[in-house]
Amino acid sequence: MSNLGLFFAILGAALAALLAGAGSARGVGMAGQAAAGVVTDQPDMFGRVLILQLLPGTQGIYGLLIAFVAMNNLGIMSGNPEQGCSLLKGLAYLGACLPMAIVGYISAINQAKAAVASIALVSKRPDQFGKSMLFPAMVETYAIFALLISILALNGVGAITG
Amino acid sequence: MAEEYIYAVARVRGKEQKLLTASVMDSLVAAPGAKEALRILADHGWGDGEDTDADAMLSAEKQKTWAFIGELVPDMSVFDVFLYANDYHNLKAAVKETAMQETRDNVFIGRDETTVDAQLIRRAVRERDYGALPEEMQGVAAEALDVLLHTGDGQLADIIVDRAAMNRIWEAGRKSDNEIIRMYGELTVASADIKTAIRACLMKKDKAFLARALAACDSLDIGDLAQAASDSIDAVYEYLGRTVYADAISEIRKSPSAFERWCDNLLIEKIRPEIHHPFTIGPLAAYILARENEIKCVRMILSGKVNDLSVESIRERVRETYV
């Protein structure tokens, strides 16, 4: 039971990587299907639709970053895990990771839906590529907010003693 | 699951750009003759690049549509509702062929545009062995053949088969979880009922005939429609004025073809929002209907050109385009 705090802290890091990564994987997959559909008939659109396909992939990177920061703070990266991590501190780590985990998953799926619609737009109106990028990019704002909050919270939790 | 059709919808988006626009339809109408119209179509990728025959070109376009959709959808049965009318057309032809004891190969619609092979229907009707037909067709095939053999009334045999076709289309639409297919089923049956009621009224048919000819649907009360049609044409207009088809009355008064055009335009208007939907099977269904509408419209323009109709007369018959 003495390591319960460490367990919750690692659970938080795992959830950040897991949920945000799963959301991105699903999102990039959805956008990839749409991109493949466009490139089948319009191979010259490859560059444009590839960029749109990649947009929902950023949440996975943010989740990975949060997991790294959390594990680094816990000393796991250096092979020296924080043995004295209290239950309160472990739960605080978990709470700090959740914004990125949950918002990362939801925003990746919704960004993918916007990206699929934008891929359809760019296939019909290639000259509107710039504007078509903006619609899914708007969803990114909320993933960045979550990333910011998770990083600030992790820094704060790191300063908790005991 | 909506995500299942993302690739297919993206492919359809590309194909939608090749649909004929209103300006292309205008240039077809304005073409000096059928030959020039065919050349315009060939320039837009119609036909196989070699055929100069209108029927061959239109047939090739229909085949292209179904082959394209077949590439995208593993289970084509979701679109059977669009082909049932062709199956029952073949059934009518098979019943007449058997009753008249003659062979008419050229009236049957080919395998690409049906859910049941025409040869199977012909054999089943000829041998009175209906077990090989889909369950929904077995009873109607036997009934239509019996009626034709015993009464010689081809019209009665036709309405029996037509009603069965409409029942099947409506039922398939009702069971579908896609709005476009549901709407197609309802509109197809309702427009067929209105056309039948008007025709029966003008031919002074009685209520019993109408009760046998009209198929049930949600937007019309066929009891009231049959009653109105057995009374007078004004009673039919008065009844329709109380339904969602009130706007069609002015077109029905003009001619049956004007009403048919109104129905086609309504369908296109209803499916047009699918242009902006990136998920679901709706855009695929809408594309099939748009292509069918386009081919029907081109067939009419070419027929007008061949028959030397005036440009104005052809233009009046041109349908709205999907794009």
Side-chain angles (χ1 to χ4, degrees), chain B residues 205-218:
Chain B
K205 293 283 183 185
D206 60 11
K207 203 175 164 187
F209 174 91
L210 282 152
R212 202 163 187 184
L214 300 179
C217 64
D218 288 330

Side-chain angles (χ1 to χ4, degrees), chain B residues 309-320:
Chain B
L309 293 185
S310 68
V311 168
E312 289 71 29
S313 176
I314 297 173
R315 188 164 283 129
E316 276 173 13
R317 293 170 168 81
V318 172
R319 270 72 172 153
E320 280 184 27

Side-chain angles (χ1 to χ4, degrees), chain B residues 59-298:
Chain B
S59 173
E61 287 307 304
K62 277 200 165 198
Q63 282 174 9
K64 275 188 207 171
T65 306
W66 287 103
F68 170 64
I69 296 294
E71 273 178 40
L72 305 176
V73 182
D75 177 14
M76 286 289 281
S77 66
V78 285
F79 298 123
D80 279 355
V81 66
F82 300 138
L83 301 175
Y84 286 151
N86 293 344
D87 289 337
Y88 285 83
H89 163 89
N90 283 345
L91 179 59
K92 276 196 284 190
V95 165
K96 282 181 187 158
E97 187 184 59
T98 301
M100 307 296 172
Q101 294 182 326
E102 57 189 29
T103 304
R104 294 180 184 175
D105 290 325
N106 57 345
V107 297
F108 289 93
I109 297 171
R111 187 71 188 98
D112 296 340
E113 297 165 46
T114 58
T115 67
V116 186
D117 187 4
Q119 299 309 320
L120 182 82
I121 296 177
R122 291 172 86 177
R123 193 167 53 248
V125 174
R126 196 170 51 236
E127 295 171 3
R128 273 83 158 167
D129 179 12
Y130 306 108
L133 297 177
E135 206 180 326
E136 297 87 346
M137 284 181 106
Q138 293 174 10
V140 68
E143 187 186 355
L145 184 61
D146 283 349
V147 164
L148 191 55
L149 288 173
H150 291 117
T151 66
D153 187 346
Q155 191 188 31
L156 186 57
D158 279 353
I159 66 158
I160 290 168
V161 178
D162 285 341
R163 184 184 171 174
M166 290 303 119
N167 283 341
R168 189 138 182 230
I169 289 171
W170 185 75
E171 196 59 31
R174 197 179 61 83
K175 283 181 184 162
S176 173
D177 52 8
N178 180 264
E179 178 61 28
I180 294 287
I181 294 174
R182 275 201 303 276
M183 190 260 303
Y184 170 82
E186 179 64 28
L187 196 58
T188 302
V189 177
S191 62
D193 279 347
I194 294 172
K195 277 184 262 184
T196 304
I198 298 283
R199 209 165 40 234
C201 182
L202 296 175
M203 292 167 72
K204 308 256 184 267
K205 293 283 183 185
D206 60 11
K207 203 175 164 187
F209 174 91
L210 282 152
R212 202 163 187 184
L214 300 179
C217 64
D218 288 330
S219 53
L220 292 172
D221 182 322
I222 54 168
D224 288 353
L225 182 60
Q227 181 62 54
S230 59
D231 289 347
S232 68
I233 194 77
D234 286 331
V236 176
Y237 295 147
E238 197 271 327
Y239 169 71
L240 290 176
R242 289 185 272 120
T243 69
V244 291
Y245 305 103
D247 293 345
I249 295 172
S250 58
E251 300 303 311
I252 298 170
R253 284 181 195 273
K254 281 184 203 163
S255 67
S257 68
F259 173 60
E260 206 163 301
R261 180 175 180 267
W262 182 88
C263 292
D264 289 344
N265 286 347
L266 179 66
L267 187 67
I268 290 295
E269 191 185 307
K270 298 265 187 193
I271 64 173
R272 200 169 276 140
E274 292 300 324
I275 283 182
H276 306 297
H277 288 174
F279 305 102
T280 81
I281 204 166
L284 277 75
Y287 177 75
I288 294 172
L289 292 173
R291 282 286 283 162
E292 292 286 324
N293 183 64
E294 184 181 76
I295 292 166
K296 187 198 277 189
C297 194
V298 167

Side-chain angles (χ1 to χ4, degrees), chain A residues 114-141:
Chain A
V116 168
S118 285
I119 287 169
L121 162 63
V122 90
S123 79
K124 284 194 170 180
R125 308 276 299 271
D127 57 316
Q128 298 298 311
F129 176 62
K131 288 176 191 166
S132 74
M133 285 266 291
L134 285 176
F135 303 124
M138 291 292 176
V139 186
E140 191 75 15
T141 315

